[in-house]
Amino acid sequence: MIMLSSLLSFFTSAFSQQSARVVINGNAPSTTISKHIYGHFSEHLGRCIYDGFWVDENSKIPNKGRIRLDIVEALKKINIPNLRWPGGCFADEYHWRDGIGPRKARPKMVNTNWGGVTEDNSFGTHEFLELCSMLGTEPYIAGNVGSGTVEEMSKWIEYLNFNGQSPMSEIRKQNGRNEPWNVAFWGVGNENWGCGGNMTAEYYADQYKRYASYCKNYPGANLKKVAGGANSEDYNWTETLMRKVPLNMMWGISLHYYTVPKTWGDKGSATAFDEKEYAATMKKALYMNELVSRHSAIMDRYDPQKRVALVVDEWGIWTNVEPNTNPGFLYQQNSLRDALIAGVHLNIFNNHAERVKMANLAQTVNVLQALILTEGNKMLLTPTYHVFDLFKVHQDAKLLPIQVSTPHYTLDNIKLPAVNVSASQDPTGVVHISFVNLDPNKKISVNSILSGVNWKSVSGQIITSAKLTDVNSFQNDSKIKPVAFTGAKKEGDALIVELPAQSVVVLELKN
Ligand code: AHR
């Protein structure tokens, strides 16, 4: 009897031992993974700006000119490459002239999209650009098409970027800034199919041309104009823009897609979900690969040389808000599931680096899939933050093409490729490989062959936890954090990796 049960358990573990195979081609890599894929988004929404980046005048929280320093330090550590602002839906009701000049004199407005709260405009153009300068990051500003005028947008750019004498540059100087900021990334509206004006694709394409014509390049300040793009699988939107707008009028076209675990009516909890909901959520996260592939295929037809970028400037998991918080503030916790979602998305963007030149997670602090949560003077780094920390090695590195043969993670009628990978080589020749094992039950042994890469040693870091629902909280802010990974070794020419279940692993291979 005992012999039979040990035999059974031997077979069970032998059969649950999964293996994957990865072939990485290090011969003549040509595509650069733009660092801007690792971009972020900060909207005037809930506690992202106010009570997030921006503290009260008399706050005891360490700050410089009301910008919170612990947040700045944390974001600098992950090399945040760009920051999108002021929205989102907020952008299309924002009038920039209300956010300049003496703060006490700035008009107030109602933030109709996000909780109907009063916006005092104390955080405006100068404050945002000061934040970017403290972060060492590039600003990405979304102009107002929905409720703003061509003149308003055009004058904002003159205010930001013109170095000579002009009405707008004079006002800028009176407001204490002599030099222009030379802002490059410029969004011409946001979600113009929805909160940005409920336009049709045809109508927006015409409006885009009109607005973009007056978004001028001033000396030393060439704009990278991004057309407001499609919602998820609205392929007609992308097709219409590519057909109607001359390619040289756009640096990029955006795409927005959120991973919603259940439905828009009841999105599902950020922290209380079962495996069934987890599997459904990961299926939706992986859908990003199909979206990027299909929008890119449309763009390829009009732009085979890939001059126009696909800019995924809103992505991430969107759940119900935390209990007892303002539903308009979109404050949600961040679990190990979020880390796996972040890893999957970043691998997808890396692997599509030929077309995807920029992406922005929604949103940086206290909103949606945040990197950072705050409570009074406390601040914590979410599991998602740690994924960006590990993946930063891919920024501006050369993409190494890969082929993956992976077992599937199956639950009921859901069947997903369990292992998700991308690889790059940095300018010093060091290779980084990022793996996600999204199977919550099975470890997977990965056998990788790297052609054209000389390497002798491997080291790495892992993010995982006992439960998918585990989070970092203000009581325990380090439950999930990267630790050294010892499950990778060199065997002859092969790289053997024992990937634990529900984990994100980033390896470094050196010669
Ligand atoms: O990120 C939250 C909101 O989601 C943005 O304001 C909007 O663009 C999108 O619908």
Side-chain angles (χ1 to χ4, degrees):
M1 197 60 194
I2 293 172
M3 266 185 59
L4 185 65
S5 73
S6 22
L7 212 60
L8 267 174
S9 85
F10 167 77
F11 277 117
T12 319
S13 64
F15 285 123
S16 65
Q17 170 68 39
Q18 302 273 297
S19 50
R21 200 174 159 75
V22 174
V23 178
I24 300 179
N25 183 356
N27 297 299
S30 57
T31 304
T32 298
I33 298 173
S34 169
K35 66 178 179 181
H36 291 294
I37 282 176
Y38 292 80
H40 293 280
F41 173 33
S42 54
E43 181 166 9
H44 287 235
L45 193 179
R47 297 192 303 116
C48 184
I49 301 290
Y50 301 104
D51 200 24
F53 282 111
W54 187 243
V55 296
D56 283 345
E57 241 167 339
N58 304 316
S59 175
K60 296 268 181 309
I61 300 168
N63 69 84
K64 187 173 163 226
R66 294 181 64 177
I67 294 173
R68 197 170 161 157
L69 290 173
D70 50 359
I71 295 181
V72 168
E73 285 317 306
L75 293 176
K76 277 171 79 172
K77 180 164 181 272
I78 59 169
N79 298 345
I80 173 175
N82 70 74
L83 189 59
R84 180 171 181 252
W85 175 85
C89 294
F90 182 78
D92 281 275
E93 64 177 10
Y94 182 61
H95 300 285
W96 69 272
R97 293 192 75 155
D98 295 346
I100 57 169
R103 286 197 197 118
K104 295 252 174 319
R106 295 183 191 177
K108 295 184 172 48
M109 67 178 280
V110 186
N111 190 334
T112 63
N113 286 290
W114 306 120
V117 293
T118 303
E119 157 72 56
D120 71 1
N121 275 309
S122 58
F123 189 91
T125 299
H126 290 249
E127 291 78 11
F128 171 65
L129 290 160
E130 181 55 25
L131 169 64
C132 289
S133 139
M134 286 166 70
L135 290 169
T137 199
E138 277 204 59
Y140 171 21
I141 295 183
N144 180 345
V145 169
S147 70
T149 63
V150 173
E151 181 188 10
E152 184 182 357
M153 189 181 291
S154 166
K155 285 189 165 159
W156 199 2
I157 295 165
E158 180 187 320
Y159 186 87
L160 293 164
N161 287 356
F162 185 56
N163 199 13
Q165 211 182 19
S166 81
M168 291 303 113
S169 64
E170 287 311 304
I171 301 174
R172 184 186 72 225
K173 287 172 195 164
Q174 283 160 24
N175 288 333
R177 172 84 187 191
N178 283 327
E179 302 299 314
W181 286 281
N182 298 339
V183 172
F185 292 117
W186 193 261
V188 181
N190 168 74
E191 296 196 351
N192 302 93
W193 39 263
C195 63
N198 286 301
M199 302 174 191
T200 62
E202 297 275 334
Y203 182 76
Y204 174 71
D206 289 338
Q207 290 301 309
Y208 176 84
K209 285 187 278 189
R210 189 164 156 253
Y211 278 76
S213 299
Y214 302 95
C215 295
K216 300 290 182 184
N217 289 333
Y218 292 101
N222 277 354
L223 291 174
K224 292 176 174 153
K225 287 173 244 180
V226 179
N231 177 20
S232 312
E233 58 278 300
D234 184 353
Y235 299 112
N236 173 57
W237 190 280
T238 301
E239 213 275 336
T240 306
L241 284 180
M242 291 301 288
R243 178 167 43 80
K244 288 194 73 169
V245 181
L247 297 186
N248 64 6
M249 284 190 84
M250 302 182 284
W251 180 81
I253 295 183
S254 74
L255 167 66
H256 289 183
Y257 172 68
Y258 285 97
T259 301
V260 178
K262 288 162 91 178
T263 63
W264 280 104
D266 170 19
K267 300 178 199 77
S269 162
T271 52
F273 51 87
D274 58 15
E275 190 181 335
K276 209 168 165 179
E277 196 169 318
Y278 166 75
T281 307
M282 294 314 288
K283 183 176 178 183
K284 291 180 178 182
L286 287 171
Y287 184 50
M288 180 59 92
N289 194 45
E290 177 176 335
L291 289 173
V292 168
S293 305
R294 292 184 63 182
H295 283 285
S296 298
I298 293 166
M299 296 174 79
D300 284 348
R301 290 211 303 272
Y302 295 87
D303 174 29
Q305 289 168 329
K306 302 192 195 309
R307 285 170 18 204
V308 180
L310 184 59
V311 176
V312 190
D313 58 14
E314 286 187 29
W315 66 271
I317 181 171
W318 191 327
T319 67
N320 293 334
V321 297
E322 282 301 288
N324 307 318
T325 63
N326 187 330
F329 280 15
L330 309 187
Y331 177 74
Q332 63 191 48
Q333 245 296 0
N334 198 287
S335 68
L336 177 63
R337 177 177 69 176
D338 296 53
L340 300 172
I341 288 173
V344 160
H345 277 81
L346 294 173
N347 277 336
I348 292 171
F349 298 149
N350 285 348
N351 288 325
H352 285 276
E354 274 206 331
R355 182 63 81 180
V356 179
K357 303 271 168 60
M358 189 166 182
N360 301 76
L361 175 66
Q363 300 193 6
T364 325
V365 185
N366 291 330
V367 170
L368 298 177
Q369 188 171 353
L371 298 175
I372 290 173
L373 302 178
T374 65
E375 193 178 270
N377 62 356
K378 291 190 231 148
M379 179 198 91
L380 67 77
L381 306 175
T382 66
T384 298
Y385 172 93
H386 293 305
V387 172
F388 274 82
D389 192 18
L390 296 199
F391 275 62
K392 69 186 176 197
V393 290
H394 290 303
Q395 290 189 20
D396 283 342
K398 293 282 186 198
L399 176 71
L400 301 183
I402 52 173
Q403 284 170 296
V404 183
S405 150
T406 166
H408 285 91
Y409 160 52
T410 43
L411 188 71
D412 300 338
N413 58 349
I414 295 181
K415 186 175 178 199
L416 308 174
V419 178
N420 177 278
V421 197
S422 71
S424 70
Q425 187 164 40
D426 75 13
T428 67
V430 173
V431 168
H432 294 102
I433 313 174
S434 42
F435 294 93
V436 178
N437 176 8
L438 57 80
D439 190 320
N441 305 310
K442 292 177 186 154
K443 65 178 184 196
I444 297 177
S445 178
V446 185
N447 185 320
S448 304
I449 298 294
L450 292 92
S451 62
V453 175
N454 293 322
W455 64 284
K456 289 199 185 92
S457 67
V458 56
S459 60
Q461 288 186 276
I462 181 168
I463 297 170
T464 188
S465 196
K467 290 189 282 177
L468 287 163
T469 50
D470 282 346
V471 299
N472 289 339
S473 65
F474 290 100
Q475 290 69 46
N476 181 2
D477 65 3
S478 303
K479 190 171 182 71
I480 302 180
K481 62 172 190 219
V483 294
F485 177 67
T486 52
K489 61 179 184 223
K490 192 171 197 295
E491 267 184 20
D493 282 343
L495 167 70
I496 309 293
V497 189
E498 302 300 336
L499 273 185
Q502 55 192 35
S503 66
V504 176
V505 169
V506 178
L507 299 180
E508 180 164 276
L509 275 62
K510 283 186 172 161
N511 200 1

